[in-house]
Amino acid sequence: MTADPARDTDVATTAATPPAAAVTDPAGDRRAPDAWPPGAAPGILGRGYRALTFGIISVVSLIAFEASAVNTAMPAAARALHGIGLYAFGFSAFFTTSLFAMALAGEWNDRRGPLAPLFTGIGAFGAGLVVAGAAPTMVLFVAGRGVQGLGGGLVIVSLYVVVGRAYPERLRPAVMASFSAAWVLPVIVGPLAAGSVAEHLGWRWVFLAIPVLVLLPLAVMLPALRALPRAAPGPGGGLGAVLCSRRALLALAVAVGAWLLQYAGGHLTPYAALPAAAGLALLVPAVRRLLPPGTFRAARGLPTVVLMRGLAAGALVAAESFIPLLLVSERGLSATLAGLSLTGGGLTWALGSYVQSRPGCERHRERLMGAGMAFLALATAAVPLVLSDAVPVWTVAVAWTLGGFGMGLNISSGGVLLLKLSRPEEAGANSASLQMADALGNVVLVGLGGALFVAFGGGSPTTPAATHTATASHPAAFLAVFATMAVVAALGAALTGRLRPAGEP
């Protein structure tokens, strides 16, 4: 259960959507999509949209499966590659590069359309899986995860653009709902399948098998993608111009700054002060320009909504990244059982999203978002209880079902509040800020978790390889990570009163 942009169905596409009259039906009917007589227009599984819909759902499902499978396979990969000190980097590298790729994809889609960034992203995602699966060292494994992040960021944003261009407005909510539905089966099957593969065939096949599976959905939806209307390239539509755009450069500064901070956190020596200072100098000004003014001082209304979403996403992913490692190294569980502890959270996430959507909950929107943060704080605080042998290991699974329910309340309510607080002409930019906050929360708090893990004895990149085993016991390191993330979630819950703009009761 990973906080991923594909799950956030409330996020608007970052690219401009052409007028309905300019869209060509994938089946070849050039009638304006919204001009069909009531009841006569095809649904998302109608003849004109079926192949594209199945292709999109398949791609999202594969990304979701990879996200849930990595949590299960990471302890085995870190043990085999003697890289416990770089464990957190295996997660944060993905989020760091995807942050840059999301900004790049928005510009690229706006200027050239979705086909080039979509297929480039799929190619990069597959290449990253191959690099990670074949990596002889943990450093190369982390590099592969970074390449995956580039591909994932390009793919997710481009899929939203495809939805905006290929489907009429009345069908887009159904397509967006299918994005969330595409996560359910991978969340249930992913940990079990990945654990079984890691135990019987080896952890490498968790990564190496997925690129082959991407080929089928690509072949299915390629004809429909080629039928999309081709918008004229915007000014400066070349890739060089896209890479030099203001938003792409700011995102690059954030990504490099975050990496420098993570590097400094993993090398706790006096020499680490230099990359830490450089990282802060890049990260702080760029982030302030990418997010709404007042976000970091929790200004009332929209800035607090964005801040709480970032805190929730980051705290969840940082804690969830270390749960399988804790259960494997401290309680001796297999990779399969450790991964299954996360399954319930994925199911209750969907339940929380459903609960907050009920009409009677609308007047309690701010309280629901705060309650979600409180549930996440309680769940995260409960996880390290299993460091004691007197506490049954299934406590983690129970706690994470509560955390997942809280995330369902928080993430979905945050999207609703954002649209409520945005003027129509600002909805797209504010939605992009919300997505950016999720990615930034992941990068910063996963990096912080890794630094805490190293600082409290969990392993170091400079530690001799002989001491890098996933079976070594480091209870203080795990306690530091989970206690910190519980405090972050509790801080988010404390901001609930600032969700309403000034002057509102």
Side-chain angles (χ1 to χ4, degrees):
M1 182 189 62
T2 304
D4 190 285
R7 223 175 197 160
D8 299 338
T9 57
D10 50 76
V11 177
T13 176
T14 58
T17 302
V23 181
T24 301
D25 186 283
D29 191 328
R30 296 182 177 272
R31 189 183 321 183
D34 290 317
W36 290 83
I44 63 172
L45 296 181
R47 183 173 61 89
Y49 301 105
R50 186 183 303 125
L52 185 59
T53 300
F54 278 130
I56 290 174
I57 292 175
S58 298
V59 171
V60 173
S61 295
L62 287 174
I63 293 175
F65 176 82
E66 186 274 342
S68 60
V70 165
N71 283 331
T72 304
M74 274 295 293
R79 178 177 62 241
L81 298 175
H82 308 295
I84 294 298
L86 291 172
Y87 182 85
F89 282 81
F91 294 96
S92 61
F94 182 97
F95 298 124
T96 301
T97 55
S98 66
L99 176 63
F100 168 68
M102 288 174 191
L104 176 64
E107 293 286 336
W108 198 354
N109 276 274
D110 280 343
R111 298 178 188 229
R112 302 294 294 185
L115 289 185
L118 176 61
F119 281 91
T120 300
I122 290 174
F125 187 75
L129 286 166
V130 172
V131 171
T137 66
M138 192 66 176
V139 172
L140 284 177
F141 178 87
V142 171
R145 291 283 291 154
V147 176
Q148 278 182 256
L150 285 173
L154 290 173
V155 168
I156 291 302
V157 173
S158 299
L159 285 179
Y160 276 95
V161 177
V162 168
V163 171
R165 296 195 176 192
Y167 296 86
E169 185 174 355
R170 63 178 182 79
L171 290 181
R172 290 172 199 159
V175 181
M176 293 298 184
S178 73
F179 275 45
S180 287
W183 276 81
V184 175
L185 186 60
V187 164
I188 297 173
V189 175
L192 179 61
S196 299
V197 169
E199 290 178 20
H200 296 101
L201 298 179
W203 64 269
R204 296 184 184 276
W205 287 104
V206 175
F207 297 89
L208 295 176
I210 296 177
V212 179
L213 300 177
V214 176
L215 299 177
L216 179 60
L218 281 182
V220 169
M221 66 179 178
L222 183 57
L225 290 174
R226 285 178 172 171
L228 290 179
R230 296 179 181 272
L239 181 57
V242 172
L243 289 169
C244 293
S245 65
R246 178 178 179 272
R247 192 167 184 85
L249 292 175
L250 287 173
L252 179 61
V254 171
V256 173
W259 183 85
L260 288 171
L261 285 175
Q262 293 166 43
Y263 176 83
H267 297 74
L268 299 179
T269 66
Y271 299 103
L274 184 59
L280 286 173
L282 286 171
L283 185 68
V284 174
V287 169
R288 292 187 64 184
R289 288 171 172 81
L290 286 170
L291 298 182
T295 296
F296 293 104
R297 55 183 175 83
R300 286 187 172 275
L302 180 64
T304 298
V305 173
V306 172
L307 177 61
M308 284 183 68
R309 273 283 296 264
L311 293 177
L316 172 92
V317 173
E320 190 174 71
S321 299
F322 282 90
I323 286 177
L325 184 63
L326 180 150
L327 295 175
V328 169
S329 64
E330 303 297 321
R331 296 300 298 265
L333 265 65
S334 67
T336 302
L337 290 177
L340 283 174
S341 65
L342 305 176
T343 301
L347 299 176
T348 53
W349 183 313
L351 176 61
S353 296
Y354 172 77
V355 168
Q356 66 80 37
S357 71
R358 307 308 298 158
C361 293
E362 182 58 38
R363 62 181 181 274
H364 305 296
R365 183 68 56 195
E366 293 83 1
R367 294 179 182 177
L368 287 173
M369 196 171 180
M373 292 292 287
F375 288 152
L376 179 61
L378 289 173
T380 306
V383 169
L385 294 177
V386 300
L387 289 169
S388 169
D389 291 337
V391 178
V393 293
W394 49 258
T395 301
V396 172
V398 173
W400 221 235
T401 59
L402 178 64
F405 183 75
M407 285 298 290
L409 294 176
N410 180 275
I411 294 295
S412 299
S413 293
V416 173
L417 281 176
L418 177 128
L419 294 176
K420 177 182 177 181
L421 297 173
S422 300
R423 293 195 297 267
E425 65 271 18
E426 297 176 341
N430 290 340
S431 295
S433 294
L434 198 69
Q435 189 172 7
M436 191 72 70
D438 286 352
L440 285 170
N442 291 340
V443 170
V444 172
L445 292 181
V446 171
L448 175 60
L452 290 170
F453 191 72
V454 170
F456 283 84
S460 169
T462 58
T463 303
T467 66
H468 278 183
T469 65
T471 56
S473 180
H474 305 292
F478 286 111
L479 183 60
V481 171
F482 289 106
T484 300
M485 298 310 149
V487 170
V488 169
L491 175 62
L495 296 174
T496 302
R498 302 189 66 80
L499 288 171
R500 290 184 180 272
E504 287 194 9

